Amino acid sequence: VPPSADWSATIYHNGSAVGSITIVAGAHSGSVSCPQMTLAPGDRLHIVAHVLDVAMLDLLIVLRGVI
């Protein structure tokens, strides 16, 4: 189910904002803005939404990396 209003979230790496995710109202996909980065063991990567939208409760985000 697409969001009922524009939706965005901030991507954090070890507590510092490094990117964002944006999905416009009614869309089934969005855009991600995040630089290439290297994660070390113990690093934290988390995503925080700015507004709760019940349509986004089943949001799936896939991360891809190279080992």
Side-chain angles (χ1 to χ4, degrees):
V1 175
S4 55
D6 290 354
W7 182 89
S8 65
T10 302
I11 303 168
Y12 292 90
H13 177 220
N14 291 332
S16 297
V18 295
S20 63
I21 301 171
T22 304
I23 304 174
V24 297
H28 290 276
S29 63
S31 62
V32 176
S33 172
C34 190
Q36 182 176 347
M37 67 181 82
T38 301
L39 299 175
D43 279 2
R44 294 184 53 136
L45 188 66
H46 63 277
I47 299 168
V48 178
H50 299 278
V51 176
L52 176 63
D53 185 330
V54 294
M56 302 301 288
L57 293 178
D58 290 326
L59 176 67
L60 173 66
I61 298 173
V62 178
L63 304 175
R64 180 176 59 157
V66 177
I67 297 178

Short mmCIF file of all heavy atoms in Angstrom, two decimals:
data_model
loop_
_atom_site.label_atom_id
_atom_site.label_comp_id
_atom_site.label_asym_id
_atom_site.label_seq_id
_atom_site.Cartn_x
_atom_site.Cartn_y
_atom_site.Cartn_z
N VAL A 1 0.85 -1.18 0.00
CA VAL A 1 0.00 0.00 0.00
C VAL A 1 0.90 1.24 0.00
O VAL A 1 1.77 1.37 0.85
CB VAL A 1 -0.91 0.01 1.24
CG1 VAL A 1 -1.71 1.28 1.30
CG2 VAL A 1 -1.80 -1.21 1.26
N PRO A 2 0.71 2.13 -0.93
CA PRO A 2 1.53 3.35 -0.98
C PRO A 2 1.15 4.32 0.14
O PRO A 2 0.04 4.25 0.68
CB PRO A 2 1.22 3.93 -2.35
CG PRO A 2 -0.13 3.42 -2.69
CD PRO A 2 -0.23 2.06 -2.04
N PRO A 3 2.05 5.24 0.48
CA PRO A 3 1.74 6.21 1.54
C PRO A 3 0.61 7.14 1.11
O PRO A 3 0.45 7.46 -0.07
CB PRO A 3 3.04 6.97 1.73
CG PRO A 3 3.79 6.81 0.44
CD PRO A 3 3.38 5.47 -0.09
N SER A 4 -0.17 7.59 2.08
CA SER A 4 -1.28 8.50 1.79
C SER A 4 -0.80 9.94 1.65
O SER A 4 -1.51 10.78 1.12
CB SER A 4 -2.34 8.40 2.88
OG SER A 4 -1.76 8.63 4.14
N ALA A 5 0.39 10.22 2.14
CA ALA A 5 1.01 11.55 2.02
C ALA A 5 2.49 11.33 1.74
O ALA A 5 3.00 10.23 1.92
CB ALA A 5 0.83 12.35 3.31
N ASP A 6 3.18 12.36 1.30
CA ASP A 6 4.62 12.23 1.08
C ASP A 6 5.27 11.72 2.35
O ASP A 6 4.92 12.15 3.46
CB ASP A 6 5.24 13.57 0.69
CG ASP A 6 4.83 14.03 -0.69
OD1 ASP A 6 4.15 13.27 -1.40
OD2 ASP A 6 5.21 15.16 -1.07
N TRP A 7 6.22 10.78 2.21
CA TRP A 7 6.87 10.14 3.35
C TRP A 7 8.38 10.26 3.19
O TRP A 7 8.91 10.13 2.08
CB TRP A 7 6.46 8.68 3.40
CG TRP A 7 7.01 7.91 4.55
CD1 TRP A 7 6.46 7.76 5.78
CD2 TRP A 7 8.22 7.16 4.59
NE1 TRP A 7 7.24 6.99 6.59
CE2 TRP A 7 8.35 6.60 5.86
CE3 TRP A 7 9.24 6.92 3.66
CZ2 TRP A 7 9.43 5.83 6.24
CZ3 TRP A 7 10.33 6.14 4.04
CH2 TRP A 7 10.40 5.60 5.31
N SER A 8 9.08 10.51 4.28
CA SER A 8 10.54 10.57 4.22
C SER A 8 11.13 10.04 5.52
O SER A 8 10.48 10.00 6.56
CB SER A 8 11.02 11.99 3.94
OG SER A 8 10.68 12.84 5.02
N ALA A 9 12.38 9.63 5.41
CA ALA A 9 13.12 9.13 6.56
C ALA A 9 14.58 9.53 6.42
O ALA A 9 15.06 9.78 5.30
CB ALA A 9 13.00 7.61 6.65
N THR A 10 15.27 9.59 7.53
CA THR A 10 16.70 9.90 7.53
C THR A 10 17.48 8.64 7.83
O THR A 10 17.09 7.85 8.69
CB THR A 10 17.01 10.97 8.60
OG1 THR A 10 16.24 12.14 8.31
CG2 THR A 10 18.48 11.34 8.60
N ILE A 11 18.59 8.45 7.11
CA ILE A 11 19.49 7.32 7.33
C ILE A 11 20.64 7.81 8.20
O ILE A 11 21.27 8.83 7.89
CB ILE A 11 20.04 6.79 5.98
CG1 ILE A 11 18.90 6.39 5.07
CG2 ILE A 11 21.01 5.63 6.22
CD1 ILE A 11 19.33 6.13 3.63
N TYR A 12 20.89 7.08 9.29
CA TYR A 12 21.96 7.44 10.22
C TYR A 12 23.03 6.36 10.24
O TYR A 12 22.72 5.17 10.20
CB TYR A 12 21.41 7.60 11.64
CG TYR A 12 20.50 8.78 11.82
CD1 TYR A 12 19.13 8.66 11.61
CD2 TYR A 12 21.01 10.01 12.19
CE1 TYR A 12 18.29 9.74 11.76
CE2 TYR A 12 20.17 11.11 12.34
CZ TYR A 12 18.81 10.96 12.14
OH TYR A 12 17.98 12.04 12.29
N HIS A 13 24.29 6.78 10.30
CA HIS A 13 25.42 5.87 10.46
C HIS A 13 26.15 6.30 11.72
O HIS A 13 26.69 7.41 11.79
CB HIS A 13 26.34 5.96 9.23
CG HIS A 13 27.56 5.13 9.33
ND1 HIS A 13 28.79 5.57 8.89
CD2 HIS A 13 27.76 3.87 9.78
CE1 HIS A 13 29.69 4.63 9.07
NE2 HIS A 13 29.09 3.59 9.63
N ASN A 14 26.13 5.44 12.72
CA ASN A 14 26.74 5.73 14.03
C ASN A 14 26.26 7.06 14.61
O ASN A 14 27.04 7.82 15.18
CB ASN A 14 28.26 5.70 13.93
CG ASN A 14 28.78 4.31 13.68
OD1 ASN A 14 28.18 3.32 14.07
ND2 ASN A 14 29.92 4.22 13.00
N GLY A 15 24.98 7.35 14.45
CA GLY A 15 24.39 8.55 15.04
C GLY A 15 24.46 9.80 14.18
O GLY A 15 23.86 10.82 14.54
N SER A 16 25.16 9.76 13.06
CA SER A 16 25.26 10.92 12.17
C SER A 16 24.38 10.73 10.94
O SER A 16 24.42 9.67 10.32
CB SER A 16 26.71 11.13 11.71
OG SER A 16 27.55 11.40 12.80
N ALA A 17 23.60 11.75 10.59
CA ALA A 17 22.76 11.67 9.40
C ALA A 17 23.64 11.60 8.16
O ALA A 17 24.54 12.42 7.99
CB ALA A 17 21.84 12.88 9.33
N VAL A 18 23.39 10.59 7.31
CA VAL A 18 24.20 10.41 6.11
C VAL A 18 23.37 10.33 4.84
O VAL A 18 23.91 10.31 3.73
CB VAL A 18 25.10 9.15 6.20
CG1 VAL A 18 26.13 9.30 7.30
CG2 VAL A 18 24.27 7.89 6.39
N GLY A 19 22.05 10.28 4.95
CA GLY A 19 21.23 10.15 3.74
C GLY A 19 19.76 10.23 4.06
O GLY A 19 19.36 10.47 5.21
N SER A 20 18.95 10.01 3.02
CA SER A 20 17.50 10.09 3.20
C SER A 20 16.80 9.15 2.23
O SER A 20 17.35 8.72 1.22
CB SER A 20 17.01 11.52 2.97
OG SER A 20 17.27 11.91 1.63
N ILE A 21 15.56 8.84 2.58
CA ILE A 21 14.66 8.05 1.74
C ILE A 21 13.39 8.87 1.58
O ILE A 21 12.87 9.41 2.56
CB ILE A 21 14.32 6.70 2.39
CG1 ILE A 21 15.58 5.89 2.64
CG2 ILE A 21 13.33 5.92 1.53
CD1 ILE A 21 15.35 4.64 3.47
N THR A 22 12.89 8.97 0.35
CA THR A 22 11.69 9.75 0.08
C THR A 22 10.75 8.94 -0.80
O THR A 22 11.18 8.36 -1.80
CB THR A 22 12.03 11.07 -0.63
OG1 THR A 22 12.97 11.78 0.15
CG2 THR A 22 10.79 11.92 -0.84
N ILE A 23 9.47 8.88 -0.42
CA ILE A 23 8.43 8.25 -1.23
C ILE A 23 7.27 9.23 -1.30
O ILE A 23 6.76 9.66 -0.26
CB ILE A 23 7.95 6.91 -0.62
CG1 ILE A 23 9.14 5.96 -0.42
CG2 ILE A 23 6.89 6.27 -1.50
CD1 ILE A 23 8.80 4.68 0.31
N VAL A 24 6.85 9.60 -2.51
CA VAL A 24 5.75 10.56 -2.65
C VAL A 24 4.42 9.84 -2.49
O VAL A 24 4.32 8.63 -2.72
CB VAL A 24 5.81 11.33 -3.98
CG1 VAL A 24 7.07 12.17 -4.06
CG2 VAL A 24 5.71 10.39 -5.16
N ALA A 25 3.41 10.59 -2.10
CA ALA A 25 2.08 10.03 -1.89
C ALA A 25 1.62 9.25 -3.12
O ALA A 25 1.76 9.70 -4.24
CB ALA A 25 1.09 11.14 -1.57
N GLY A 26 1.09 8.04 -2.87
CA GLY A 26 0.55 7.22 -3.93
C GLY A 26 1.56 6.38 -4.70
O GLY A 26 1.19 5.56 -5.51
N ALA A 27 2.86 6.57 -4.44
CA ALA A 27 3.90 5.85 -5.17
C ALA A 27 4.21 4.51 -4.50
O ALA A 27 4.07 4.36 -3.30
CB ALA A 27 5.17 6.68 -5.27
N HIS A 28 4.64 3.54 -5.30
CA HIS A 28 5.02 2.23 -4.78
C HIS A 28 6.53 2.08 -4.64
O HIS A 28 7.01 1.04 -4.21
CB HIS A 28 4.47 1.12 -5.69
CG HIS A 28 2.99 1.00 -5.61
ND1 HIS A 28 2.36 0.27 -4.62
CD2 HIS A 28 2.00 1.54 -6.36
CE1 HIS A 28 1.04 0.35 -4.79
NE2 HIS A 28 0.80 1.12 -5.84
N SER A 29 7.29 3.08 -5.05
CA SER A 29 8.74 3.08 -4.87
C SER A 29 9.18 4.52 -4.64
O SER A 29 8.42 5.46 -4.87
CB SER A 29 9.44 2.48 -6.09
OG SER A 29 9.18 3.27 -7.24
N GLY A 30 10.39 4.68 -4.17
CA GLY A 30 10.87 6.01 -3.86
C GLY A 30 12.31 6.20 -4.25
O GLY A 30 12.85 5.43 -5.06
N SER A 31 12.95 7.19 -3.67
CA SER A 31 14.35 7.46 -3.99
C SER A 31 15.17 7.47 -2.70
O SER A 31 14.68 7.81 -1.62
CB SER A 31 14.48 8.80 -4.70
OG SER A 31 14.04 9.86 -3.87
N VAL A 32 16.42 7.06 -2.86
CA VAL A 32 17.36 7.02 -1.73
C VAL A 32 18.55 7.89 -2.08
O VAL A 32 19.09 7.80 -3.18
CB VAL A 32 17.83 5.57 -1.46
CG1 VAL A 32 18.88 5.55 -0.36
CG2 VAL A 32 16.66 4.68 -1.13
N SER A 33 18.94 8.72 -1.15
CA SER A 33 20.13 9.55 -1.31
C SER A 33 21.07 9.20 -0.17
O SER A 33 20.79 9.48 0.99
CB SER A 33 19.74 11.03 -1.25
OG SER A 33 20.91 11.83 -1.23
N CYS A 34 22.18 8.54 -0.51
CA CYS A 34 23.13 8.12 0.52
C CYS A 34 24.48 7.87 -0.15
O CYS A 34 24.54 7.20 -1.18
CB CYS A 34 22.63 6.84 1.19
SG CYS A 34 23.57 6.37 2.65
N PRO A 35 25.55 8.39 0.42
CA PRO A 35 26.85 8.16 -0.18
C PRO A 35 27.32 6.72 0.04
O PRO A 35 26.85 6.04 0.94
CB PRO A 35 27.76 9.13 0.58
CG PRO A 35 27.13 9.23 1.93
CD PRO A 35 25.65 9.16 1.66
N GLN A 36 28.24 6.29 -0.81
CA GLN A 36 28.86 4.99 -0.59
C GLN A 36 29.65 5.07 0.71
O GLN A 36 30.30 6.08 0.99
CB GLN A 36 29.79 4.64 -1.74
CG GLN A 36 30.43 3.28 -1.61
CD GLN A 36 31.26 2.95 -2.84
OE1 GLN A 36 31.18 3.60 -3.87
NE2 GLN A 36 32.08 1.94 -2.72
N MET A 37 29.57 4.04 1.54
CA MET A 37 30.29 4.07 2.81
C MET A 37 30.79 2.68 3.16
O MET A 37 30.32 1.68 2.62
CB MET A 37 29.40 4.60 3.93
CG MET A 37 28.23 3.70 4.29
SD MET A 37 27.18 4.37 5.57
CE MET A 37 26.18 5.47 4.61
N THR A 38 31.72 2.64 4.06
CA THR A 38 32.26 1.39 4.56
C THR A 38 31.77 1.19 5.98
O THR A 38 31.88 2.09 6.81
CB THR A 38 33.81 1.41 4.54
OG1 THR A 38 34.25 1.63 3.20
CG2 THR A 38 34.38 0.11 5.07
N LEU A 39 31.19 0.02 6.24
CA LEU A 39 30.73 -0.31 7.58
C LEU A 39 31.71 -1.27 8.22
O LEU A 39 32.15 -2.24 7.59
CB LEU A 39 29.34 -0.94 7.53
CG LEU A 39 28.23 -0.07 6.93
CD1 LEU A 39 26.94 -0.87 6.84
CD2 LEU A 39 28.03 1.18 7.75
N ALA A 40 32.05 -1.00 9.45
CA ALA A 40 32.96 -1.86 10.21
C ALA A 40 32.14 -2.65 11.23
O ALA A 40 31.03 -2.25 11.58
CB ALA A 40 34.01 -1.01 10.91
N PRO A 41 32.67 -3.77 11.70
CA PRO A 41 31.96 -4.51 12.75
C PRO A 41 31.62 -3.58 13.91
O PRO A 41 32.46 -2.80 14.36
CB PRO A 41 32.95 -5.59 13.17
CG PRO A 41 33.80 -5.80 11.95
CD PRO A 41 33.94 -4.43 11.34
N GLY A 42 30.38 -3.63 14.35
CA GLY A 42 29.93 -2.80 15.46
C GLY A 42 29.30 -1.48 15.03
O GLY A 42 28.71 -0.79 15.86
N ASP A 43 29.45 -1.10 13.76
CA ASP A 43 28.81 0.13 13.29
C ASP A 43 27.30 -0.02 13.36
O ASP A 43 26.77 -1.12 13.24
CB ASP A 43 29.20 0.42 11.84
CG ASP A 43 30.56 1.09 11.71
OD1 ASP A 43 31.22 1.31 12.75
OD2 ASP A 43 30.95 1.40 10.57
N ARG A 44 26.63 1.10 13.52
CA ARG A 44 25.17 1.10 13.56
C ARG A 44 24.63 1.86 12.37
O ARG A 44 25.06 2.97 12.10
CB ARG A 44 24.68 1.74 14.85
CG ARG A 44 25.05 0.93 16.08
CD ARG A 44 24.46 1.56 17.29
NE ARG A 44 23.03 1.73 17.06
CZ ARG A 44 22.10 1.46 17.95
NH1 ARG A 44 22.44 1.03 19.12
NH2 ARG A 44 20.83 1.64 17.66
N LEU A 45 23.68 1.26 11.68
CA LEU A 45 22.99 1.90 10.57
C LEU A 45 21.51 1.81 10.90
O LEU A 45 20.98 0.72 11.10
CB LEU A 45 23.31 1.15 9.27
CG LEU A 45 22.81 1.79 7.98
CD1 LEU A 45 23.53 3.12 7.73
CD2 LEU A 45 23.02 0.85 6.82
N HIS A 46 20.84 2.96 11.01
CA HIS A 46 19.41 2.93 11.28
C HIS A 46 18.67 4.00 10.48
O HIS A 46 19.27 4.96 10.02
CB HIS A 46 19.10 3.00 12.79
CG HIS A 46 19.52 4.26 13.47
ND1 HIS A 46 20.79 4.49 13.92
CD2 HIS A 46 18.82 5.36 13.79
CE1 HIS A 46 20.86 5.68 14.49
NE2 HIS A 46 19.68 6.23 14.42
N ILE A 47 17.38 3.76 10.32
CA ILE A 47 16.52 4.62 9.51
C ILE A 47 15.38 5.11 10.39
O ILE A 47 14.71 4.31 11.04
CB ILE A 47 15.98 3.85 8.29
CG1 ILE A 47 17.16 3.37 7.43
CG2 ILE A 47 15.01 4.70 7.49
CD1 ILE A 47 16.79 2.37 6.37
N VAL A 48 15.19 6.43 10.42
CA VAL A 48 14.16 7.03 11.27
C VAL A 48 13.18 7.81 10.40
O VAL A 48 13.57 8.74 9.69
CB VAL A 48 14.80 7.97 12.32
CG1 VAL A 48 13.73 8.63 13.16
CG2 VAL A 48 15.79 7.21 13.18
N ALA A 49 11.90 7.41 10.45
CA ALA A 49 10.85 8.10 9.70
C ALA A 49 10.50 9.41 10.39
O ALA A 49 10.53 9.51 11.60
CB ALA A 49 9.62 7.22 9.58
N HIS A 50 10.14 10.42 9.58
CA HIS A 50 9.80 11.73 10.13
C HIS A 50 8.33 11.81 10.55
O HIS A 50 7.99 12.54 11.46
CB HIS A 50 10.09 12.82 9.10
CG HIS A 50 11.53 12.86 8.72
ND1 HIS A 50 12.49 13.50 9.46
CD2 HIS A 50 12.20 12.28 7.68
CE1 HIS A 50 13.67 13.35 8.91
NE2 HIS A 50 13.52 12.61 7.82
N VAL A 51 7.47 11.06 9.88
CA VAL A 51 6.04 11.07 10.17
C VAL A 51 5.52 9.63 10.12
O VAL A 51 5.90 8.87 9.24
CB VAL A 51 5.27 11.91 9.12
CG1 VAL A 51 3.78 11.84 9.36
CG2 VAL A 51 5.76 13.35 9.13
N LEU A 52 4.69 9.26 11.07
CA LEU A 52 4.09 7.94 11.06
C LEU A 52 2.95 7.91 10.06
O LEU A 52 2.06 8.75 10.08
CB LEU A 52 3.56 7.57 12.45
CG LEU A 52 2.82 6.25 12.54
CD1 LEU A 52 3.75 5.09 12.20
CD2 LEU A 52 2.22 6.06 13.91
N ASP A 53 3.00 6.96 9.15
CA ASP A 53 1.93 6.74 8.17
C ASP A 53 1.59 5.26 8.27
O ASP A 53 2.42 4.42 7.96
CB ASP A 53 2.42 7.10 6.77
CG ASP A 53 1.33 7.02 5.71
OD1 ASP A 53 0.40 6.19 5.88
OD2 ASP A 53 1.40 7.76 4.73
N VAL A 54 0.38 4.94 8.69
CA VAL A 54 0.01 3.54 8.89
C VAL A 54 0.16 2.71 7.62
O VAL A 54 0.37 1.50 7.67
CB VAL A 54 -1.41 3.38 9.47
CG1 VAL A 54 -1.47 3.96 10.87
CG2 VAL A 54 -2.44 4.03 8.58
N ALA A 55 0.09 3.35 6.45
CA ALA A 55 0.29 2.63 5.19
C ALA A 55 1.72 2.14 5.05
O ALA A 55 2.01 1.22 4.29
CB ALA A 55 -0.07 3.52 4.01
N MET A 56 2.64 2.72 5.82
CA MET A 56 4.06 2.38 5.70
C MET A 56 4.51 1.36 6.75
O MET A 56 5.69 1.06 6.86
CB MET A 56 4.91 3.65 5.82
CG MET A 56 4.58 4.71 4.79
SD MET A 56 4.79 4.14 3.10
CE MET A 56 6.55 4.06 3.00
N LEU A 57 3.60 0.79 7.51
CA LEU A 57 3.98 -0.13 8.58
C LEU A 57 4.64 -1.40 8.06
O LEU A 57 5.41 -2.02 8.77
CB LEU A 57 2.77 -0.47 9.44
CG LEU A 57 2.22 0.68 10.27
CD1 LEU A 57 0.99 0.22 11.05
CD2 LEU A 57 3.26 1.24 11.20
N ASP A 58 4.37 -1.80 6.82
CA ASP A 58 4.98 -3.00 6.25
C ASP A 58 6.07 -2.66 5.25
O ASP A 58 6.37 -3.44 4.36
CB ASP A 58 3.92 -3.87 5.57
CG ASP A 58 3.00 -4.52 6.58
OD1 ASP A 58 3.48 -4.84 7.68
OD2 ASP A 58 1.81 -4.69 6.28
N LEU A 59 6.69 -1.51 5.39
CA LEU A 59 7.75 -1.08 4.49
C LEU A 59 8.93 -2.04 4.56
O LEU A 59 9.36 -2.45 5.63
CB LEU A 59 8.22 0.33 4.88
CG LEU A 59 9.40 0.89 4.10
CD1 LEU A 59 9.00 1.13 2.64
CD2 LEU A 59 9.89 2.17 4.73
N LEU A 60 9.45 -2.43 3.41
CA LEU A 60 10.61 -3.31 3.31
C LEU A 60 11.73 -2.53 2.63
O LEU A 60 11.52 -1.99 1.53
CB LEU A 60 10.28 -4.56 2.51
CG LEU A 60 11.46 -5.48 2.19
CD1 LEU A 60 12.02 -6.08 3.46
CD2 LEU A 60 11.03 -6.54 1.21
N ILE A 61 12.87 -2.46 3.27
CA ILE A 61 14.05 -1.79 2.70
C ILE A 61 15.15 -2.84 2.58
O ILE A 61 15.48 -3.50 3.56
CB ILE A 61 14.50 -0.62 3.59
CG1 ILE A 61 13.39 0.43 3.67
CG2 ILE A 61 15.78 -0.01 3.05
CD1 ILE A 61 13.66 1.54 4.66
N VAL A 62 15.69 -2.97 1.39
CA VAL A 62 16.74 -3.95 1.14
C VAL A 62 18.06 -3.23 1.00
O VAL A 62 18.18 -2.30 0.20
CB VAL A 62 16.45 -4.78 -0.13
CG1 VAL A 62 17.57 -5.75 -0.40
CG2 VAL A 62 15.12 -5.50 -0.01
N LEU A 63 19.04 -3.65 1.79
CA LEU A 63 20.38 -3.09 1.70
C LEU A 63 21.28 -4.06 0.96
O LEU A 63 21.20 -5.26 1.15
CB LEU A 63 20.95 -2.83 3.10
CG LEU A 63 20.10 -1.94 4.01
CD1 LEU A 63 20.71 -1.88 5.39
CD2 LEU A 63 20.00 -0.54 3.41
N ARG A 64 22.13 -3.53 0.12
CA ARG A 64 23.03 -4.38 -0.65
C ARG A 64 24.46 -3.94 -0.39
O ARG A 64 24.75 -2.74 -0.37
CB ARG A 64 22.71 -4.25 -2.14
CG ARG A 64 23.59 -5.10 -3.01
CD ARG A 64 23.17 -5.02 -4.44
NE ARG A 64 23.25 -3.64 -4.91
CZ ARG A 64 23.36 -3.30 -6.17
NH1 ARG A 64 23.41 -4.22 -7.09
NH2 ARG A 64 23.41 -2.05 -6.53
N GLY A 65 25.33 -4.88 -0.18
CA GLY A 65 26.71 -4.54 0.10
C GLY A 65 27.67 -5.51 -0.56
O GLY A 65 27.27 -6.51 -1.16
N VAL A 66 28.93 -5.17 -0.47
CA VAL A 66 30.00 -6.00 -1.02
C VAL A 66 30.93 -6.40 0.12
O VAL A 66 31.34 -5.55 0.91
CB VAL A 66 30.79 -5.23 -2.10
CG1 VAL A 66 31.94 -6.08 -2.61
CG2 VAL A 66 29.88 -4.80 -3.22
N ILE A 67 31.22 -7.68 0.20
CA ILE A 67 32.12 -8.18 1.25
C ILE A 67 33.45 -8.52 0.62
O ILE A 67 33.54 -9.10 -0.43
CB ILE A 67 31.53 -9.40 1.95
CG1 ILE A 67 30.26 -8.99 2.65
CG2 ILE A 67 32.53 -9.98 2.92
CD1 ILE A 67 29.53 -10.13 3.35
#
